Amino acid sequence: MVKKIKLAVIGSPISHSRSPEIHQDFAYQAGIDIEFSKVELSKSNLDDWVHSFFLDGGKGLSITLPFKEDCLSLADEISDRAEITKAINVLFNNKGKILGDCTDGVGLVKDLTVNKKQSIKEKSILVLGAGGASRGILPSLLKEQPKSIVIANRTVEKAERIAKEFSSKASQTSKSSNLIASSLSFEALKDFEFDVVINATSVSTNPSQNLNLDESVFRNTSLALDLYYSQAFTPFMDLADRAKVPNVIDGWGMLVEQAAESFFLWTGFKPDTSELIAKHGE
Ligand code: NAP
């Protein structure tokens, strides 16, 4: 009998995760049998659980909040792009070595530019949040040659750290001298205008939390994206909609695209994402 490929998604909270159904769809397309579990962990049992998973024959893990930075140290080797992001959303066993990679950024850019036909070249971008997701998307955003990227975060020092790290990388890798990553507090945002506003904070995961964002941040915005995926508009998306932003989207397309990239790393099969992306809201 052919053994099922053992996969899982780990995070906290995890009950909302739609990764199992996405990967089961990909497995069906590939004609592969998989066992995909959803596992809630805490920082205290993360290391032990991940080690046992791979010792027990696990092939691949998808990593969601808040463990994207913690899991870096659990990989034997990390990819070049994860070396830059310092956050990983995938771990997998490759011939006995545990490799870490980050597929969030390519997933986001594929969804924006290919599926949603939204160019970010020469655009001024605001990224709200300085956690794992923010780190994961910045290199791919920078590659698209935007005019500028500003990072704002509740804990301003974290935004400052990321802005510093990524601006030196931007100047090394980009031909555009305009490409600057700078950091701001939420309060200072009212003095600036942005073409694209991305919510990479985790507030949308918790209905009792609020970003305290002023609607004026969207005054010149053509695209607002909440990385969180949700069938209903999140408060961030509602605010953007009220401010008449023409394109307001959530993270479903990104989720499917990053999962497709991860599935390829685990199995060597590139799934078709179009049907799943169109199924959003069902
Ligand atoms: P994380 O590492 O835990 O970072 C959380 C970020 O949110 C931090 O910057 C934190 O600020 C900020 N934050 C939390 N509560 C806040 C509040 N009440 N007000 C203002 N800021 C607050 O989480 P993550 O892994 O980056 O995930 C962030 C979001 O991206 C989640 O919604 C996740 O679902 C989404 N995501 C989606 C995809 C996708 O494929 N669609 C992929 C990755 C992530 P402090 O630094 O001040 O704590």
Side-chain angles (χ1 to χ4, degrees), residues 3-237:
K3 260 176 76 186
K4 287 186 176 186
I5 298 178
K6 203 170 141 190
L7 306 168
V9 57
I10 57 172
S12 178
I14 201 67
S15 57
H16 68 286
S17 174
R18 294 184 64 188
S19 291
E21 68 187 89
I22 294 172
H23 287 287
Q24 287 296 354
D25 180 291
F26 295 163
Y28 181 74
Q29 290 182 37
I32 298 172
D33 240 359
I34 63 167
E35 173 196 323
F36 198 106
S37 10
K38 200 151 70 165
V39 184
E40 171 117 18
L41 296 175
S42 63
K43 294 219 179 199
S44 60
N45 65 1
L46 177 70
D47 294 21
D48 286 348
W49 191 91
V50 169
H51 285 304
S52 314
F53 174 82
F54 287 114
L55 279 175
D56 289 349
K59 175 67 187 174
L61 286 178
S62 181
I63 297 143
T64 186
L65 93 169
F67 301 132
K68 292 185 176 190
E69 291 161 78
D70 303 296
C71 278
L72 260 184
S73 60
L74 303 181
D76 297 323
E77 278 174 25
I78 57 172
S79 65
D80 290 349
R81 58 190 172 189
E83 186 73 55
I84 300 172
T85 58
K86 299 269 187 291
I88 56 175
N89 71 331
V90 55
L91 275 172
F92 60 108
N93 185 336
N94 186 15
K95 297 178 189 136
K97 273 201 168 148
I98 307 307
L99 306 189
D101 202 350
C102 182
T103 62
D104 279 341
V106 283
L108 170 68
V109 166
K110 179 155 184 226
D111 187 49
L112 285 184
T113 58
V114 179
N115 303 335
K116 309 290 190 314
K117 310 272 182 276
Q118 299 284 325
S119 169
I120 47 178
K121 192 175 164 75
E122 292 303 319
K123 298 282 166 67
S124 52
I125 302 178
L126 168 64
V127 176
L128 301 165
S134 180
R135 285 187 162 276
I137 62 174
L138 279 169
S140 302
L141 290 176
L142 286 164
K143 258 198 192 155
E144 295 299 299
Q145 307 263 315
K147 185 160 97 196
S148 60
I149 299 182
V150 164
I151 302 153
N153 194 45
R154 178 177 59 180
T155 314
V156 184
E157 305 79 64
K158 260 167 82 181
E160 277 166 359
R161 209 177 315 137
I162 295 192
K164 211 167 151 197
E165 251 177 68
F166 282 90
S167 35
S168 68
K169 276 172 195 128
S171 58
Q172 282 162 25
T173 55
S174 168
K175 289 182 203 111
S176 165
S177 56
N178 294 331
L179 208 54
I180 318 148
S182 57
S183 66
L184 284 178
S185 66
F186 280 20
E187 294 72 45
L189 292 173
K190 59 182 176 344
D191 300 327
F192 295 84
E193 292 189 340
F194 303 99
D195 301 313
V196 178
V197 179
I198 299 176
N199 180 17
T201 73
S202 54
V203 283
S204 305
T205 60
N206 184 342
S208 67
Q209 289 186 352
N210 193 328
L211 260 188
N212 293 323
L213 198 62
D214 195 282
E215 195 177 307
S216 64
V217 79
F218 295 112
R219 63 183 167 277
N220 198 30
T221 301
S222 58
L223 171 66
L225 164 70
D226 197 331
L227 296 193
Y228 184 68
Y229 53 95
S230 162
Q231 294 193 349
F233 265 25
T234 63
F236 168 86
M237 293 165 77

